[in-house]
Amino acid sequence: MPYYTKLYQTDLPHRAKLVYIYLHDRMDAEHKAWPGLNTIAKDLSLSRSTAKRAVKDLEKAGLIRKEPHYRENGSATSNRYYLL
């Protein structure tokens, strides 16, 4: 069964489905992807706020887990997104 079949069975907004497919295409062997919100928005021709809402939709639906990451100096870097 293709990974995206579960997207058909949800009432997620199209923005969330698009971001899920984007993250899936960029995940590594651990089912982890780490593009920044600005990168997601630019690559998908979405506003940053729309990309951010899509990530929240996916978290709420239990399809991804977002984990913040930080550099050694303590400044924030791209979140890690784990596809569940």
Side-chain angles (χ1 to χ4, degrees):
M1 178 167 76
Y3 73 90
Y4 50 80
T5 302
K6 63 183 149 191
L7 296 177
Y8 297 152
Q9 301 164 356
T10 67
D11 59 349
L12 283 171
H14 66 279
R15 65 179 179 244
K17 293 176 182 181
L18 181 63
V19 169
Y20 183 85
I21 292 168
Y22 178 86
L23 292 174
H24 185 276
D25 287 348
R26 282 149 185 79
M27 73 178 181
D28 62 12
E30 298 173 350
H31 293 258
K32 174 180 63 182
W34 53 93
L37 278 175
N38 290 333
T39 301
I40 295 170
K42 181 179 178 233
D43 288 351
L44 297 177
S45 299
L46 301 172
S47 69
R48 187 179 192 283
S49 60
T50 298
K52 192 173 183 176
R53 280 194 305 274
V55 168
K56 286 185 182 188
D57 293 337
L58 292 168
E59 285 181 292
K60 186 176 177 182
L63 293 172
I64 66 168
R65 179 173 52 90
K66 181 177 77 171
E67 185 177 284
H69 264 255
Y70 303 93
R71 294 181 183 93
E72 288 183 18
N73 66 7
S75 63
T77 187
S78 298
N79 292 320
R80 300 303 187 254
Y81 302 102
Y82 293 89
L83 282 72
L84 307 174

